[in-house]
Amino acid sequence: MGKNLLLYKRADYYELKKEKDLESISIISVTKYINDLSLIDQHYFEDIVDISSLSEFKNIQSVSEQVLLKFTDNIIFICEDEKWEAMSYELRFLFDNLDGGADYIIDNSLSLSDENNEQFVGNNRSLFFYHKDDYGSVEQQFGEKGYTIESISKLISEPWGIKSFNANKVVLDLSCILEYTRFQSITEDVVYKLEATTLYICDHSKKEKLEYELRFIFNEFKGIHENQIINDLTKISTLREHDTNIINRHKKIIDLNDNELTDFFSNFRQRLYGHAKFKDDIEEQIKTFKIFNKLGEHKILSVFIMGDSGVGKTEVARLIFDCLNGKKNLAKINFGNYSNEFSLSSLIGSARGYIGSEDGEIFMKVRDTDTGILLIDEFKKSNSTLFNYFLDVLESGKMTSSLGQEIDLDGFIIVFTSNISKENYEKKISPELRSRFDYKCIFTPLADEDKTKYLEFRAKSIVKKINLNEDSGLDFHLSQYLKHNINVSRYQNMRDLNKKIKKIFMQFLLRAR
Protein backbone atom coordinates (compact mmCIF):
# COMPACT_ATOMS: atom_id res chain seq x y z
CA MET A 1 0.00 0.00 0.00
CA GLY A 2 1.35 3.43 -0.98
CA LYS A 3 0.59 7.00 -0.03
CA ASN A 4 -2.64 8.72 -1.11
CA LEU A 5 -3.31 12.35 -1.99
CA LEU A 6 -6.66 14.13 -2.13
CA LEU A 7 -7.27 17.64 -3.43
CA TYR A 8 -9.55 20.46 -2.33
CA LYS A 9 -10.61 23.75 -3.81
CA ARG A 10 -9.64 26.88 -1.96
CA ALA A 11 -13.28 27.84 -1.47
CA ASP A 12 -13.98 24.49 0.22
CA TYR A 13 -11.17 24.59 2.79
CA TYR A 14 -13.11 26.04 5.71
CA GLU A 15 -15.99 23.63 5.18
CA LEU A 16 -13.44 20.80 5.25
CA LYS A 17 -11.77 22.15 8.38
CA LYS A 18 -15.09 22.53 10.18
CA GLU A 19 -16.01 18.94 9.31
CA LYS A 20 -12.68 17.56 10.57
CA ASP A 21 -12.77 19.67 13.73
CA LEU A 22 -16.06 17.99 14.62
CA GLU A 23 -14.30 14.65 14.18
CA SER A 24 -11.36 15.85 16.35
CA ILE A 25 -9.05 15.60 13.34
CA SER A 26 -6.45 18.29 12.75
CA ILE A 27 -5.15 19.51 9.41
CA ILE A 28 -1.44 20.24 9.77
CA SER A 29 0.87 21.92 7.28
CA VAL A 30 3.84 19.87 6.10
CA THR A 31 6.07 22.88 6.90
CA LYS A 32 5.94 21.87 10.55
CA TYR A 33 7.71 18.62 9.71
CA ILE A 34 10.10 20.05 7.14
CA ASN A 35 11.65 22.15 9.88
CA ASP A 36 11.80 19.29 12.39
CA LEU A 37 11.75 15.75 10.99
CA SER A 38 11.63 14.26 14.50
CA LEU A 39 8.01 15.45 14.80
CA ILE A 40 6.96 12.91 12.16
CA ASP A 41 7.29 10.12 14.72
CA GLN A 42 4.87 12.02 16.99
CA HIS A 43 2.28 12.60 14.26
CA TYR A 44 -1.15 11.31 15.28
CA PHE A 45 -2.16 8.87 12.55
CA GLU A 46 -5.67 10.31 12.02
CA ASP A 47 -4.48 13.87 11.51
CA ILE A 48 -4.25 15.07 7.91
CA VAL A 49 -1.09 16.54 6.38
CA ASP A 50 -1.55 19.43 3.94
CA ILE A 51 1.34 19.72 1.45
CA SER A 52 0.22 22.98 -0.23
CA SER A 53 3.16 24.97 1.16
CA LEU A 54 5.63 22.77 -0.74
CA SER A 55 4.88 24.88 -3.81
CA GLU A 56 6.92 27.70 -2.23
CA PHE A 57 10.13 25.70 -2.21
CA LYS A 58 12.55 25.77 -5.13
CA ASN A 59 13.79 22.22 -4.55
CA ILE A 60 10.29 20.77 -4.25
CA GLN A 61 11.12 17.21 -5.27
CA SER A 62 14.04 16.60 -2.92
CA VAL A 63 12.40 18.33 0.05
CA SER A 64 9.10 16.49 -0.34
CA GLU A 65 10.71 13.09 -0.85
CA GLN A 66 12.94 13.62 2.17
CA VAL A 67 9.93 14.42 4.36
CA LEU A 68 6.89 12.58 2.98
CA LEU A 69 8.57 9.21 2.61
CA LYS A 70 9.12 9.14 6.38
CA PHE A 71 5.36 9.07 7.02
CA THR A 72 3.54 5.76 7.25
CA ASP A 73 1.31 4.83 4.31
CA ASN A 74 -1.94 5.21 6.25
CA ILE A 75 -1.51 8.99 6.60
CA ILE A 76 -3.85 11.07 4.45
CA PHE A 77 -2.26 13.90 2.47
CA ILE A 78 -4.22 16.76 0.94
CA CYS A 79 -3.35 19.77 -1.23
CA GLU A 80 -5.03 22.84 -2.70
CA ASP A 81 -5.71 21.95 -6.34
CA GLU A 82 -4.09 25.03 -7.91
CA LYS A 83 -0.89 24.53 -5.94
CA TRP A 84 -0.86 20.85 -6.76
CA GLU A 85 -1.09 21.64 -10.46
CA ALA A 86 2.12 23.66 -10.17
CA MET A 87 4.11 20.84 -8.56
CA SER A 88 2.39 17.61 -9.66
CA TYR A 89 5.21 16.64 -12.03
CA GLU A 90 7.92 16.91 -9.37
CA LEU A 91 5.90 14.82 -6.89
CA ARG A 92 4.74 12.18 -9.38
CA PHE A 93 6.69 9.38 -7.63
CA LEU A 94 5.24 9.90 -4.16
CA PHE A 95 1.56 9.01 -4.45
CA ASP A 96 -0.04 5.81 -5.73
CA ASN A 97 -3.57 7.03 -6.40
CA LEU A 98 -2.86 9.50 -9.21
CA ASP A 99 -3.16 7.31 -12.31
CA GLY A 100 -6.54 8.71 -13.22
CA GLY A 101 -5.91 12.07 -11.59
CA ALA A 102 -6.27 12.94 -7.93
CA ASP A 103 -9.72 12.88 -6.35
CA TYR A 104 -11.21 15.73 -4.33
CA ILE A 105 -11.58 15.26 -0.59
CA ILE A 106 -14.88 17.14 -0.51
CA ASP A 107 -16.37 14.34 -2.64
CA ASN A 108 -14.70 11.47 -0.81
CA SER A 109 -15.09 10.06 2.66
CA LEU A 110 -11.78 9.48 4.36
CA SER A 111 -11.28 5.95 5.59
CA LEU A 112 -10.34 6.77 9.16
CA SER A 113 -10.51 4.71 12.31
CA ASP A 114 -13.10 5.50 14.99
CA GLU A 115 -10.65 4.68 17.75
CA ASN A 116 -9.10 7.33 20.00
CA ASN A 117 -11.10 10.15 18.42
CA GLU A 118 -11.10 11.91 21.76
CA GLN A 119 -7.50 12.97 21.11
CA PHE A 120 -7.30 16.39 19.45
CA VAL A 121 -4.09 17.94 18.20
CA GLY A 122 -4.85 21.45 16.94
CA ASN A 123 -3.83 24.97 17.85
CA ASN A 124 -5.28 27.75 19.95
CA ARG A 125 -3.48 30.59 18.23
CA SER A 126 -5.30 33.74 17.16
CA LEU A 127 -4.18 36.51 14.85
CA PHE A 128 -5.54 39.93 15.79
CA PHE A 129 -5.89 42.66 13.16
CA TYR A 130 -5.65 46.38 13.79
CA HIS A 131 -6.28 49.35 11.51
CA LYS A 132 -3.20 51.46 10.83
CA ASP A 133 -4.85 54.53 12.34
CA ASP A 134 -5.17 52.65 15.64
CA TYR A 135 -1.60 51.39 15.86
CA GLY A 136 -0.47 54.13 18.25
CA SER A 137 -3.28 53.22 20.65
CA VAL A 138 -2.56 49.49 20.29
CA GLU A 139 1.13 50.02 21.04
CA GLN A 140 0.31 52.23 24.02
CA GLN A 141 -2.10 49.79 25.59
CA PHE A 142 0.18 46.81 25.11
CA GLY A 143 2.91 48.93 26.66
CA GLU A 144 0.77 49.62 29.71
CA LYS A 145 0.49 45.85 30.16
CA GLY A 146 4.25 45.40 29.96
CA TYR A 147 4.51 44.31 26.30
CA THR A 148 6.57 45.65 23.42
CA ILE A 149 5.77 45.02 19.74
CA GLU A 150 8.37 43.48 17.43
CA SER A 151 8.22 42.57 13.75
CA ILE A 152 8.46 38.95 12.70
CA SER A 153 11.16 40.04 10.24
CA LYS A 154 13.54 40.26 13.19
CA LEU A 155 13.13 36.55 13.92
CA ILE A 156 13.35 35.68 10.22
CA SER A 157 16.65 37.50 9.76
CA GLU A 158 17.96 36.49 13.22
CA PRO A 159 16.53 32.97 13.81
CA TRP A 160 18.76 32.44 16.81
CA GLY A 161 16.52 34.96 18.59
CA ILE A 162 13.63 32.48 18.60
CA LYS A 163 15.09 30.60 21.56
CA SER A 164 15.28 33.74 23.69
CA PHE A 165 11.91 35.13 22.53
CA ASN A 166 9.83 36.03 25.60
CA ALA A 167 6.13 35.55 24.91
CA ASN A 168 5.29 37.24 28.22
CA LYS A 169 6.86 40.52 27.14
CA VAL A 170 6.75 40.67 23.34
CA VAL A 171 3.86 40.82 20.84
CA LEU A 172 4.77 39.67 17.32
CA ASP A 173 3.59 41.81 14.39
CA LEU A 174 3.22 39.92 11.07
CA SER A 175 2.43 42.93 8.87
CA CYS A 176 5.63 42.67 6.81
CA ILE A 177 5.32 38.97 6.00
CA LEU A 178 3.70 39.44 2.59
CA GLU A 179 6.93 41.05 1.39
CA TYR A 180 8.55 37.60 1.47
CA THR A 181 8.18 35.27 -1.52
CA ARG A 182 7.70 32.14 0.63
CA PHE A 183 5.67 33.91 3.28
CA GLN A 184 3.46 30.92 4.18
CA SER A 185 6.25 28.48 4.93
CA ILE A 186 8.47 31.17 6.48
CA THR A 187 5.71 32.23 8.87
CA GLU A 188 4.87 28.65 9.75
CA ASP A 189 8.53 27.93 10.42
CA VAL A 190 8.76 30.75 12.97
CA VAL A 191 5.37 30.31 14.62
CA TYR A 192 5.73 26.56 15.14
CA LYS A 193 8.92 27.21 17.13
CA LEU A 194 7.41 29.81 19.47
CA GLU A 195 5.48 29.26 22.66
CA ALA A 196 1.76 28.60 22.32
CA THR A 197 1.02 31.68 24.44
CA THR A 198 2.66 34.09 21.95
CA LEU A 199 0.44 37.01 20.90
CA TYR A 200 0.23 37.85 17.18
CA ILE A 201 -1.08 41.04 15.54
CA CYS A 202 -1.18 42.35 11.97
CA ASP A 203 -2.27 45.32 9.89
CA HIS A 204 -5.87 44.83 8.77
CA SER A 205 -4.99 45.54 5.13
CA LYS A 206 -3.21 42.15 5.02
CA LYS A 207 -6.15 40.18 6.38
CA GLU A 208 -7.71 38.92 3.16
CA LYS A 209 -4.47 37.29 2.00
CA LEU A 210 -3.21 35.99 5.34
CA GLU A 211 -6.49 34.60 6.63
CA TYR A 212 -6.34 31.80 4.12
CA GLU A 213 -2.59 31.25 3.68
CA LEU A 214 -1.94 31.05 7.44
CA ARG A 215 -4.92 28.82 8.13
CA PHE A 216 -2.77 25.98 9.51
CA ILE A 217 -1.16 27.94 12.32
CA PHE A 218 -4.01 30.22 13.40
CA ASN A 219 -7.36 28.93 14.52
CA GLU A 220 -8.99 32.36 14.69
CA PHE A 221 -8.65 35.67 12.90
CA LYS A 222 -10.14 38.52 14.93
CA GLY A 223 -10.24 42.27 15.34
CA ILE A 224 -7.77 43.68 17.87
CA HIS A 225 -10.61 44.81 20.14
CA GLU A 226 -11.37 41.13 20.80
CA ASN A 227 -7.98 40.62 22.43
CA GLN A 228 -8.45 40.30 26.20
CA ILE A 229 -5.34 42.31 27.00
CA ILE A 230 -6.57 45.43 25.23
CA ASN A 231 -10.30 44.85 25.00
CA ASP A 232 -10.80 48.40 26.25
CA LEU A 233 -9.18 49.76 23.08
CA THR A 234 -10.66 53.06 21.95
CA LYS A 235 -9.94 54.43 18.51
CA ILE A 236 -7.59 57.33 18.14
CA SER A 237 -6.74 59.08 14.92
CA THR A 238 -3.40 60.63 15.85
CA LEU A 239 -1.55 59.11 12.90
CA ARG A 240 -4.28 59.96 10.42
CA GLU A 241 -4.56 63.55 11.62
CA HIS A 242 -0.78 63.89 11.64
CA ASP A 243 -0.41 62.71 8.06
CA THR A 244 -3.35 64.86 6.94
CA ASN A 245 -1.80 67.95 8.52
CA ILE A 246 1.48 67.20 6.76
CA ILE A 247 -0.15 67.52 3.38
CA ASN A 248 -2.38 70.44 4.29
CA ARG A 249 0.54 72.61 5.31
CA HIS A 250 2.48 72.13 2.07
CA LYS A 251 2.22 75.02 -0.37
CA LYS A 252 1.81 73.49 -3.80
CA ILE A 253 1.77 74.78 -7.36
CA ILE A 254 -1.91 73.78 -7.68
CA ASP A 255 -2.79 76.19 -4.86
CA LEU A 256 -1.66 79.31 -6.78
CA ASN A 257 -4.26 81.57 -8.34
CA ASP A 258 -3.76 83.05 -11.83
CA ASN A 259 -1.87 86.13 -10.62
CA GLU A 260 0.33 84.10 -8.30
CA LEU A 261 1.06 81.62 -11.08
CA THR A 262 2.06 84.46 -13.41
CA ASP A 263 4.45 85.80 -10.77
CA PHE A 264 5.78 82.27 -10.23
CA PHE A 265 6.66 81.80 -13.91
CA SER A 266 8.18 85.27 -14.18
CA ASN A 267 10.38 84.68 -11.15
CA PHE A 268 11.31 81.17 -12.26
CA ARG A 269 12.28 82.28 -15.79
CA GLN A 270 14.35 85.15 -14.49
CA ARG A 271 16.33 83.05 -12.03
CA LEU A 272 16.97 79.95 -14.16
CA TYR A 273 19.78 80.78 -16.56
CA GLY A 274 19.72 79.23 -20.03
CA HIS A 275 17.50 76.28 -20.97
CA ALA A 276 14.96 78.44 -22.82
CA LYS A 277 13.03 75.52 -24.30
CA PHE A 278 12.74 73.88 -20.89
CA LYS A 279 11.24 77.06 -19.43
CA ASP A 280 8.56 77.10 -22.12
CA ASP A 281 7.87 73.38 -21.75
CA ILE A 282 7.68 73.34 -17.96
CA GLU A 283 5.28 76.27 -17.96
CA GLU A 284 2.97 74.35 -20.30
CA GLN A 285 3.37 71.19 -18.20
CA ILE A 286 2.44 73.01 -14.98
CA LYS A 287 -0.62 74.69 -16.53
CA THR A 288 -1.84 71.31 -17.86
CA PHE A 289 -1.10 69.66 -14.51
CA LYS A 290 -3.17 72.23 -12.61
CA ILE A 291 -6.21 71.61 -14.78
CA PHE A 292 -6.14 67.83 -14.77
CA ASN A 293 -5.23 67.66 -11.09
CA LYS A 294 -8.47 69.48 -10.32
CA LEU A 295 -10.27 66.91 -12.47
CA GLY A 296 -8.75 64.15 -10.36
CA GLU A 297 -6.79 62.68 -13.28
CA HIS A 298 -3.24 63.79 -12.47
CA LYS A 299 -1.87 63.39 -8.95
CA ILE A 300 1.85 64.14 -9.34
CA LEU A 301 3.80 66.12 -11.92
CA SER A 302 7.01 64.15 -12.55
CA VAL A 303 10.00 65.66 -14.37
CA PHE A 304 13.13 63.70 -15.32
CA ILE A 305 16.16 65.87 -16.18
CA MET A 306 19.34 64.38 -17.64
CA GLY A 307 22.66 66.10 -18.24
CA ASP A 308 26.22 66.52 -17.03
CA SER A 309 27.04 67.71 -13.51
CA GLY A 310 26.72 71.41 -12.88
CA VAL A 311 24.36 72.33 -15.71
CA GLY A 312 21.43 73.33 -13.48
CA LYS A 313 19.40 70.12 -13.03
CA THR A 314 18.97 70.31 -9.26
CA GLU A 315 18.63 74.08 -9.49
CA VAL A 316 15.21 73.53 -11.09
CA ALA A 317 13.84 71.97 -7.89
CA ARG A 318 15.49 74.62 -5.71
CA LEU A 319 13.97 77.41 -7.78
CA ILE A 320 10.49 75.87 -7.65
CA PHE A 321 10.93 75.66 -3.87
CA ASP A 322 12.03 79.31 -3.67
CA CYS A 323 9.34 80.56 -6.05
CA LEU A 324 6.74 78.85 -3.86
CA ASN A 325 8.22 80.88 -0.97
CA GLY A 326 9.51 77.83 0.87
CA LYS A 327 10.80 78.78 4.32
CA LYS A 328 12.05 75.43 5.57
CA ASN A 329 14.25 72.90 3.76
CA LEU A 330 13.82 71.53 0.27
CA ALA A 331 12.88 67.84 0.43
CA LYS A 332 15.86 66.25 -1.31
CA ILE A 333 16.90 62.59 -1.51
CA ASN A 334 20.27 61.65 -3.00
CA PHE A 335 19.94 58.19 -4.52
CA GLY A 336 23.70 57.84 -4.55
CA ASN A 337 23.19 56.77 -0.93
CA TYR A 338 20.65 54.09 -1.86
CA SER A 339 22.49 51.53 -3.94
CA ASN A 340 22.61 48.51 -1.60
CA GLU A 341 20.06 45.76 -1.02
CA PHE A 342 18.67 47.41 2.12
CA SER A 343 18.03 50.73 0.39
CA LEU A 344 14.23 50.51 0.50
CA SER A 345 14.24 50.10 4.30
CA SER A 346 16.48 53.15 4.62
CA LEU A 347 14.19 55.16 2.37
CA ILE A 348 10.74 54.24 3.74
CA GLY A 349 11.66 52.88 7.18
CA SER A 350 12.28 49.45 8.63
CA ALA A 351 9.57 47.18 9.92
CA ARG A 352 8.39 47.45 13.50
CA GLY A 353 10.71 45.89 16.02
CA TYR A 354 13.84 47.70 14.89
CA ILE A 355 14.23 50.52 17.39
CA GLY A 356 15.06 53.90 15.91
CA SER A 357 14.55 52.92 12.29
CA GLU A 358 10.79 53.18 11.92
CA ASP A 359 10.98 56.43 9.93
CA GLY A 360 12.57 56.41 6.48
CA GLU A 361 14.47 59.41 5.14
CA ILE A 362 11.91 60.30 2.49
CA PHE A 363 9.08 60.53 5.04
CA MET A 364 11.16 62.72 7.33
CA LYS A 365 12.14 65.01 4.46
CA VAL A 366 8.54 65.40 3.23
CA ARG A 367 7.34 66.07 6.78
CA ASP A 368 10.04 68.68 7.35
CA THR A 369 9.42 70.73 4.21
CA ASP A 370 6.66 73.27 3.67
CA THR A 371 6.33 73.08 -0.13
CA GLY A 372 5.03 70.46 -2.55
CA ILE A 373 8.32 69.81 -4.31
CA LEU A 374 10.49 66.69 -3.94
CA LEU A 375 13.96 66.37 -5.49
CA ILE A 376 15.31 62.88 -6.24
CA ASP A 377 18.95 63.40 -7.18
CA GLU A 378 21.27 60.88 -8.91
CA PHE A 379 18.30 58.64 -9.64
CA LYS A 380 20.20 56.15 -11.81
CA LYS A 381 22.50 55.12 -8.93
CA SER A 382 19.74 53.24 -7.13
CA ASN A 383 18.35 49.77 -7.86
CA SER A 384 15.28 48.06 -9.27
CA THR A 385 13.60 47.80 -5.86
CA LEU A 386 13.47 51.58 -5.49
CA PHE A 387 12.58 52.03 -9.14
CA ASN A 388 9.55 49.80 -8.56
CA TYR A 389 8.66 51.73 -5.42
CA PHE A 390 8.56 55.00 -7.37
CA LEU A 391 6.65 53.32 -10.15
CA ASP A 392 3.91 52.74 -7.59
CA VAL A 393 4.25 56.26 -6.13
CA LEU A 394 3.80 57.89 -9.53
CA GLU A 395 0.88 55.58 -10.30
CA SER A 396 -0.99 55.95 -6.99
CA GLY A 397 0.09 59.45 -5.98
CA LYS A 398 0.93 58.16 -2.50
CA MET A 399 4.00 57.14 -0.54
CA THR A 400 3.60 54.14 1.75
CA SER A 401 5.99 53.47 4.63
CA SER A 402 7.05 50.06 5.94
CA LEU A 403 4.49 50.56 8.73
CA GLY A 404 1.65 50.97 6.23
CA GLN A 405 1.32 54.72 6.84
CA GLU A 406 0.54 56.76 3.74
CA ILE A 407 1.35 60.30 2.70
CA ASP A 408 -0.77 61.62 -0.12
CA LEU A 409 1.41 63.52 -2.60
CA ASP A 410 -1.53 64.95 -4.51
CA GLY A 411 -0.38 68.20 -6.12
CA PHE A 412 3.34 67.56 -5.64
CA ILE A 413 6.04 68.06 -8.25
CA ILE A 414 8.80 65.42 -8.18
CA VAL A 415 12.00 66.30 -10.01
CA PHE A 416 14.28 63.37 -10.84
CA THR A 417 17.82 64.21 -11.92
CA SER A 418 20.65 62.10 -13.31
CA ASN A 419 23.81 62.47 -15.37
CA ILE A 420 22.80 59.33 -17.27
CA SER A 421 23.09 59.41 -21.06
CA LYS A 422 20.06 59.07 -23.30
CA GLU A 423 21.20 55.58 -24.39
CA ASN A 424 21.77 54.34 -20.85
CA TYR A 425 18.51 55.93 -19.72
CA GLU A 426 16.60 53.51 -21.92
CA LYS A 427 18.73 50.58 -20.71
CA LYS A 428 18.69 51.39 -17.00
CA ILE A 429 15.11 52.62 -16.54
CA SER A 430 12.30 50.19 -17.33
CA PRO A 431 9.74 51.12 -20.01
CA GLU A 432 7.00 51.05 -17.35
CA LEU A 433 8.78 53.65 -15.23
CA ARG A 434 9.83 55.76 -18.21
CA SER A 435 6.20 56.01 -19.26
CA ARG A 436 5.29 57.43 -15.82
CA PHE A 437 7.53 60.49 -16.22
CA ASP A 438 5.40 63.38 -17.48
CA TYR A 439 8.33 65.29 -18.93
CA LYS A 440 11.87 64.22 -19.88
CA CYS A 441 14.68 66.46 -21.11
CA ILE A 442 18.46 66.81 -21.41
CA PHE A 443 20.22 69.87 -20.03
CA THR A 444 23.28 71.04 -21.98
CA PRO A 445 26.01 73.40 -20.72
CA LEU A 446 25.07 77.07 -20.61
CA ALA A 447 26.15 79.55 -23.28
CA ASP A 448 28.67 82.23 -22.31
CA GLU A 449 25.95 84.86 -22.40
CA ASP A 450 23.93 82.98 -19.78
CA LYS A 451 27.01 82.47 -17.61
CA THR A 452 27.69 86.23 -17.71
CA LYS A 453 24.10 86.90 -16.62
CA TYR A 454 24.70 84.45 -13.77
CA LEU A 455 27.78 86.48 -12.72
CA GLU A 456 25.64 89.61 -12.54
CA PHE A 457 22.99 87.80 -10.49
CA ARG A 458 25.56 86.43 -8.04
CA ALA A 459 27.13 89.85 -7.65
CA LYS A 460 23.77 91.42 -6.77
CA SER A 461 22.82 88.61 -4.36
CA ILE A 462 26.17 88.75 -2.52
CA VAL A 463 26.06 92.53 -2.17
CA LYS A 464 22.46 92.35 -0.96
CA LYS A 465 23.33 89.79 1.71
CA ILE A 466 26.33 91.79 2.91
CA ASN A 467 24.36 95.02 3.10
CA LEU A 468 21.55 93.26 4.99
CA ASN A 469 23.70 91.24 7.37
CA GLU A 470 26.73 93.46 7.91
CA ASP A 471 25.46 96.91 6.94
CA SER A 472 28.89 97.53 5.43
CA GLY A 473 27.88 100.58 3.44
CA LEU A 474 30.50 99.75 0.81
CA ASP A 475 29.71 100.80 -2.74
CA PHE A 476 30.53 97.55 -4.43
CA HIS A 477 31.16 97.26 -8.11
CA LEU A 478 31.43 93.55 -7.78
CA SER A 479 29.70 92.71 -11.04
CA GLN A 480 32.30 94.48 -13.18
CA TYR A 481 35.14 93.03 -11.12
CA LEU A 482 33.85 89.47 -11.57
CA LYS A 483 33.43 89.91 -15.33
CA HIS A 484 36.93 91.31 -15.62
CA ASN A 485 38.59 88.50 -13.65
CA ILE A 486 36.60 85.45 -14.72
CA ASN A 487 36.67 83.95 -18.21
CA VAL A 488 33.27 82.25 -18.21
CA SER A 489 34.03 80.28 -21.41
CA ARG A 490 36.45 78.14 -19.39
CA TYR A 491 33.65 76.79 -17.17
CA GLN A 492 31.13 74.15 -18.21
CA ASN A 493 30.15 73.22 -14.66
CA MET A 494 28.24 75.97 -12.87
CA ARG A 495 29.40 74.67 -9.51
CA ASP A 496 33.00 75.25 -10.55
CA LEU A 497 32.04 78.71 -11.77
CA ASN A 498 30.39 79.48 -8.44
CA LYS A 499 33.55 78.42 -6.58
CA LYS A 500 35.55 80.78 -8.76
CA ILE A 501 33.09 83.59 -8.02
CA LYS A 502 33.60 83.09 -4.28
CA LYS A 503 37.36 83.12 -4.66
CA ILE A 504 37.38 86.33 -6.76
CA PHE A 505 34.92 87.94 -4.37
CA MET A 506 37.33 87.38 -1.46
CA GLN A 507 40.08 89.03 -3.52
CA PHE A 508 37.72 91.92 -4.25
CA LEU A 509 36.84 92.24 -0.57
CA LEU A 510 40.51 92.41 0.48
CA ARG A 511 41.24 94.91 -2.29
CA ALA A 512 38.32 97.12 -1.24
CA ARG A 513 39.60 97.26 2.34
Side-chain angles (χ1 to χ4, degrees), residues 436-450:
R436 296 302 192 282
F437 297 133
D438 297 308
Y439 180 77
K440 302 173 281 288
C441 68
I442 300 176
F443 272 18
T444 56
L446 270 63
D448 288 352
E449 180 183 355
D450 294 318

Side-chain angles (χ1 to χ4, degrees), residues 324-337:
L324 286 172
N325 297 316
K327 304 300 182 185
K328 295 186 177 181
N329 296 318
L330 169 66
K332 175 185 176 182
I333 304 294
N334 190 324
F335 266 28
N337 303 323

Side-chain angles (χ1 to χ4, degrees), residues 285-351:
Q285 288 286 331
I286 289 175
K287 289 179 177 178
T288 303
F289 174 57
K290 278 199 66 181
I291 293 173
F292 283 90
N293 179 269
K294 287 183 178 180
L295 296 176
E297 295 185 8
H298 200 166
K299 291 271 191 177
I300 296 172
L301 176 60
S302 55
V303 179
F304 194 102
I305 307 176
M306 295 168 273
D308 295 334
S309 296
V311 294
K313 301 187 300 295
T314 59
E315 188 67 13
V316 169
R318 291 192 179 94
L319 286 179
I320 294 175
F321 174 82
D322 289 342
C323 293
L324 286 172
N325 297 316
K327 304 300 182 185
K328 295 186 177 181
N329 296 318
L330 169 66
K332 175 185 176 182
I333 304 294
N334 190 324
F335 266 28
N337 303 323
Y338 289 92
S339 57
N340 64 46
E341 59 182 311
F342 305 108
S343 55
L344 185 59
S345 294
S346 301
L347 186 70
I348 68 172
S350 300

Side-chain angles (χ1 to χ4, degrees), residues 154 387 497:
K154 191 171 184 179
F387 291 167
L497 178 58

Side-chain angles (χ1 to χ4, degrees), residues 201-213:
I201 63 174
C202 186
D203 189 300
H204 188 271
S205 64
K206 323 289 183 182
K207 183 178 180 181
E208 183 177 355
K209 182 76 172 176
L210 294 186
E211 194 169 18
Y212 178 75
E213 299 295 349

